[in-house]
Amino acid sequence: MSLTNIDTTNPATPPTDSNATTTNLTLPTDDLTSPPTIPYTPPTIYTRPLAILGAGNLGRRIACIFSAAGHTVHLHDPNQGALQSAQHYITSNLAHYTTFPLISRPVGQIHPFSSADITPAVRDAWLVIECVPEHLPLKIDIMGELDAKTPRDCILVSNSAAFRTSFMVEKVCWERRRLMCNMCFGASPWIRAVELGVNEGVTEGEVVRVLTWVLDDCGMMPVRTSRVGGGGGGGGSGGREGEGGLVRSQCLNTVN
């Protein structure tokens, strides 16, 4: 199987399979008698920013990972102190992350956003990663707000290891749910494994392919699983000890 459309200097799109056809997905419908079938076209990357909600320990490290691979990053946190701390970390540590990507590129800009409204940070994003506290009602509200304020092709990702994104869809439309998954990074910046937790039968396969390619390009080691966290309890540490804790429990690739 050959992959085409790869610009190794500054790719605008992930590689595509020249023999592949458009993927059609039948969505879950509850009471609908005729489920819609909607083709999915991957978003354009590198020409659009990605957004990270939460500038804590994980949010700032994830920002460094993508910036080091040439992505423009919007880092949002309503807590000005958290943003200032994140900016100090990024200034001191970004150079270490530039050793990760497979292809060396100029680092992407990391733009801080501190307004209570997330709209300026996410309105043109191709990917949003939420890193807010492990409180399920908060995550449900965030995903609903993102569904309303991001472009329709934007992929919505949760860094939660305690809750699957299937628990966060209460306020998200059916079409968007196929663009959602978990993406769990290790607490240590030297752990390269990233757990991609999909909602089987819902998450669009093309979404997984795009994210896998992007993470690999960033120098990460994406691992696909349908099980993320234990799904029980709101504590982040409890989720990371759960059944799907590949990143923490197995440490698939630790770089010294």
Side-chain angles (χ1 to χ4, degrees), residues 52-55 74-81 83 111-123 132 142 145 149:
I52 300 170
L53 304 185
H74 291 179
L75 183 60
H76 177 275
D77 199 305
N79 185 324
Q80 188 64 42
L83 271 181
H111 302 283
F113 290 80
S114 60
S115 63
D117 184 7
I118 65 173
T119 303
V122 306
R123 61 186 164 201
V132 302
I142 286 290
E145 189 174 2
K149 294 182 175 180

Short mmCIF file of all heavy atoms in Angstrom, two decimals, residues 52-55 74-81 83 111-123 132 142 145 149:
data_model
loop_
_atom_site.label_atom_id
_atom_site.label_comp_id
_atom_site.label_asym_id
_atom_site.label_seq_id
_atom_site.Cartn_x
_atom_site.Cartn_y
_atom_site.Cartn_z
N ILE A 52 -5.23 23.79 22.85
CA ILE A 52 -5.14 22.99 24.06
C ILE A 52 -5.83 23.76 25.17
O ILE A 52 -5.49 24.92 25.43
CB ILE A 52 -3.68 22.69 24.44
CG1 ILE A 52 -2.99 21.92 23.32
CG2 ILE A 52 -3.59 21.93 25.75
CD1 ILE A 52 -1.49 21.78 23.48
N LEU A 53 -6.81 23.14 25.81
CA LEU A 53 -7.53 23.78 26.90
C LEU A 53 -6.97 23.27 28.23
O LEU A 53 -7.13 22.10 28.57
CB LEU A 53 -9.03 23.48 26.81
CG LEU A 53 -9.73 23.85 25.50
CD1 LEU A 53 -11.23 23.61 25.61
CD2 LEU A 53 -9.45 25.29 25.11
N GLY A 54 -6.29 24.15 28.94
CA GLY A 54 -5.65 23.77 30.19
C GLY A 54 -4.15 23.86 30.07
O GLY A 54 -3.54 23.15 29.26
N ALA A 55 -3.53 24.74 30.86
CA ALA A 55 -2.09 24.98 30.77
C ALA A 55 -1.35 24.36 31.95
O ALA A 55 -0.27 24.83 32.31
CB ALA A 55 -1.80 26.48 30.69
N HIS A 74 -2.54 27.07 20.15
CA HIS A 74 -3.26 28.02 21.00
C HIS A 74 -3.44 27.37 22.37
O HIS A 74 -4.12 26.34 22.48
CB HIS A 74 -4.63 28.36 20.40
CG HIS A 74 -4.55 29.17 19.15
ND1 HIS A 74 -5.67 29.57 18.44
CD2 HIS A 74 -3.48 29.69 18.48
CE1 HIS A 74 -5.29 30.29 17.38
NE2 HIS A 74 -3.98 30.36 17.38
N LEU A 75 -2.81 27.93 23.38
CA LEU A 75 -2.86 27.38 24.73
C LEU A 75 -3.78 28.24 25.58
O LEU A 75 -3.49 29.41 25.84
CB LEU A 75 -1.46 27.33 25.33
CG LEU A 75 -1.32 26.71 26.73
CD1 LEU A 75 -1.80 25.26 26.75
CD2 LEU A 75 0.14 26.80 27.20
N HIS A 76 -4.91 27.67 25.99
CA HIS A 76 -5.93 28.44 26.72
C HIS A 76 -6.02 28.00 28.17
O HIS A 76 -6.05 26.80 28.47
CB HIS A 76 -7.30 28.27 26.06
CG HIS A 76 -8.40 28.98 26.78
ND1 HIS A 76 -9.08 28.41 27.85
CD2 HIS A 76 -8.93 30.22 26.62
CE1 HIS A 76 -9.98 29.26 28.30
NE2 HIS A 76 -9.91 30.37 27.56
N ASP A 77 -6.07 28.98 29.05
CA ASP A 77 -6.35 28.72 30.46
C ASP A 77 -6.86 30.03 31.07
O ASP A 77 -6.18 31.05 30.95
CB ASP A 77 -5.11 28.24 31.21
CG ASP A 77 -5.45 27.53 32.52
OD1 ASP A 77 -6.14 28.15 33.35
OD2 ASP A 77 -5.03 26.37 32.70
N PRO A 78 -8.04 30.03 31.69
CA PRO A 78 -8.55 31.27 32.27
C PRO A 78 -7.75 31.74 33.48
O PRO A 78 -7.90 32.88 33.92
CB PRO A 78 -9.98 30.90 32.67
CG PRO A 78 -9.97 29.42 32.84
CD PRO A 78 -8.98 28.91 31.85
N ASN A 79 -6.89 30.86 34.00
CA ASN A 79 -6.03 31.21 35.15
C ASN A 79 -4.74 31.82 34.63
O ASN A 79 -3.89 31.12 34.06
CB ASN A 79 -5.75 29.95 35.98
CG ASN A 79 -4.97 30.25 37.25
OD1 ASN A 79 -4.10 31.11 37.27
ND2 ASN A 79 -5.29 29.53 38.31
N GLN A 80 -4.58 33.12 34.82
CA GLN A 80 -3.40 33.81 34.30
C GLN A 80 -2.12 33.27 34.92
O GLN A 80 -1.08 33.17 34.26
CB GLN A 80 -3.52 35.31 34.57
CG GLN A 80 -2.43 36.15 33.91
CD GLN A 80 -2.49 36.10 32.40
OE1 GLN A 80 -3.56 36.16 31.81
NE2 GLN A 80 -1.33 36.00 31.76
N GLY A 81 -2.19 32.87 36.19
CA GLY A 81 -1.01 32.31 36.85
C GLY A 81 -0.57 31.02 36.21
O GLY A 81 0.63 30.77 36.04
N LEU A 83 -1.04 30.16 33.09
CA LEU A 83 -0.45 30.49 31.80
C LEU A 83 0.98 31.02 31.95
O LEU A 83 1.87 30.66 31.17
CB LEU A 83 -1.30 31.53 31.08
CG LEU A 83 -2.44 31.03 30.18
CD1 LEU A 83 -3.15 32.21 29.53
CD2 LEU A 83 -1.93 30.07 29.12
N HIS A 111 0.61 30.44 21.28
CA HIS A 111 -0.08 31.67 21.63
C HIS A 111 -0.93 31.45 22.88
O HIS A 111 -1.80 30.55 22.88
CB HIS A 111 -0.96 32.15 20.48
CG HIS A 111 -0.22 32.39 19.20
ND1 HIS A 111 0.56 33.50 18.99
CD2 HIS A 111 -0.13 31.64 18.07
CE1 HIS A 111 1.09 33.45 17.78
NE2 HIS A 111 0.69 32.33 17.20
N PRO A 112 -0.74 32.22 23.94
CA PRO A 112 -1.55 32.06 25.15
C PRO A 112 -2.89 32.79 25.03
O PRO A 112 -2.97 33.87 24.46
CB PRO A 112 -0.67 32.70 26.23
CG PRO A 112 0.11 33.75 25.50
CD PRO A 112 0.34 33.21 24.11
N PHE A 113 -3.92 32.18 25.59
CA PHE A 113 -5.26 32.78 25.65
C PHE A 113 -5.77 32.63 27.08
O PHE A 113 -5.80 31.52 27.61
CB PHE A 113 -6.22 32.09 24.68
CG PHE A 113 -5.93 32.33 23.22
CD1 PHE A 113 -4.92 31.62 22.58
CD2 PHE A 113 -6.65 33.26 22.50
CE1 PHE A 113 -4.65 31.83 21.23
CE2 PHE A 113 -6.38 33.49 21.16
CZ PHE A 113 -5.37 32.77 20.52
N SER A 114 -6.20 33.74 27.67
CA SER A 114 -6.65 33.68 29.07
C SER A 114 -8.08 34.15 29.27
O SER A 114 -8.56 34.21 30.40
CB SER A 114 -5.72 34.53 29.95
OG SER A 114 -5.74 35.89 29.53
N SER A 115 -8.79 34.47 28.19
CA SER A 115 -10.16 34.95 28.34
C SER A 115 -11.07 33.83 28.84
O SER A 115 -10.81 32.64 28.62
CB SER A 115 -10.69 35.49 27.01
OG SER A 115 -10.73 34.46 26.05
N ALA A 116 -12.16 34.21 29.50
CA ALA A 116 -13.12 33.21 29.97
C ALA A 116 -13.78 32.51 28.79
O ALA A 116 -14.14 31.33 28.86
CB ALA A 116 -14.16 33.88 30.86
N ASP A 117 -13.94 33.22 27.69
CA ASP A 117 -14.55 32.66 26.48
C ASP A 117 -13.47 31.94 25.67
O ASP A 117 -12.44 32.51 25.33
CB ASP A 117 -15.16 33.79 25.65
CG ASP A 117 -15.89 33.29 24.41
OD1 ASP A 117 -16.04 32.05 24.27
OD2 ASP A 117 -16.30 34.12 23.59
N ILE A 118 -13.72 30.67 25.34
CA ILE A 118 -12.73 29.90 24.60
C ILE A 118 -12.76 30.16 23.10
O ILE A 118 -11.88 29.71 22.37
CB ILE A 118 -12.91 28.39 24.84
CG1 ILE A 118 -14.25 27.90 24.26
CG2 ILE A 118 -12.78 28.05 26.31
CD1 ILE A 118 -14.42 26.39 24.32
N THR A 119 -13.74 30.92 22.63
CA THR A 119 -13.93 31.10 21.19
C THR A 119 -12.68 31.57 20.45
O THR A 119 -12.31 30.98 19.42
CB THR A 119 -15.10 32.07 20.91
OG1 THR A 119 -16.28 31.58 21.53
CG2 THR A 119 -15.34 32.21 19.41
N PRO A 120 -11.98 32.62 20.91
CA PRO A 120 -10.80 33.07 20.15
C PRO A 120 -9.73 31.99 20.00
O PRO A 120 -9.01 31.97 19.01
CB PRO A 120 -10.28 34.25 20.99
CG PRO A 120 -11.47 34.72 21.76
CD PRO A 120 -12.25 33.49 22.07
N ALA A 121 -9.65 31.09 20.97
CA ALA A 121 -8.61 30.06 20.93
C ALA A 121 -8.96 28.90 20.00
O ALA A 121 -8.06 28.23 19.48
CB ALA A 121 -8.34 29.53 22.33
N VAL A 122 -10.25 28.66 19.78
CA VAL A 122 -10.64 27.42 19.08
C VAL A 122 -11.38 27.64 17.76
O VAL A 122 -11.63 26.68 17.05
CB VAL A 122 -11.53 26.55 20.00
CG1 VAL A 122 -10.84 26.28 21.33
CG2 VAL A 122 -12.91 27.18 20.23
N ARG A 123 -11.71 28.87 17.41
CA ARG A 123 -12.64 29.08 16.30
C ARG A 123 -12.12 28.62 14.95
O ARG A 123 -12.93 28.33 14.05
CB ARG A 123 -13.06 30.54 16.23
CG ARG A 123 -11.96 31.53 16.00
CD ARG A 123 -12.50 32.95 16.12
NE ARG A 123 -11.45 33.94 16.26
CZ ARG A 123 -11.65 35.14 16.77
NH1 ARG A 123 -12.86 35.49 17.18
NH2 ARG A 123 -10.66 36.00 16.88
N VAL A 132 -8.60 19.75 30.96
CA VAL A 132 -9.20 20.37 32.15
C VAL A 132 -9.26 19.34 33.27
O VAL A 132 -9.05 18.14 33.04
CB VAL A 132 -10.60 20.94 31.83
CG1 VAL A 132 -10.52 21.95 30.70
CG2 VAL A 132 -11.58 19.83 31.48
N ILE A 142 -17.60 21.32 28.51
CA ILE A 142 -16.53 21.75 27.60
C ILE A 142 -16.75 21.18 26.20
O ILE A 142 -16.65 21.89 25.19
CB ILE A 142 -15.15 21.33 28.14
CG1 ILE A 142 -14.75 22.20 29.32
CG2 ILE A 142 -14.09 21.40 27.04
CD1 ILE A 142 -14.41 23.63 28.96
N GLU A 145 -19.56 22.94 24.47
CA GLU A 145 -19.15 24.27 24.04
C GLU A 145 -18.25 24.18 22.81
O GLU A 145 -18.38 24.98 21.87
CB GLU A 145 -18.43 24.98 25.18
CG GLU A 145 -18.14 26.45 24.92
CD GLU A 145 -17.55 27.17 26.11
OE1 GLU A 145 -17.32 26.52 27.16
OE2 GLU A 145 -17.31 28.39 26.00
N LYS A 149 -18.55 25.86 18.97
CA LYS A 149 -17.65 26.97 18.67
C LYS A 149 -16.47 26.62 17.76
O LYS A 149 -15.68 27.50 17.42
CB LYS A 149 -17.11 27.57 19.98
CG LYS A 149 -18.20 28.22 20.82
CD LYS A 149 -17.65 28.84 22.09
CE LYS A 149 -18.75 29.58 22.85
NZ LYS A 149 -18.26 30.21 24.10
#
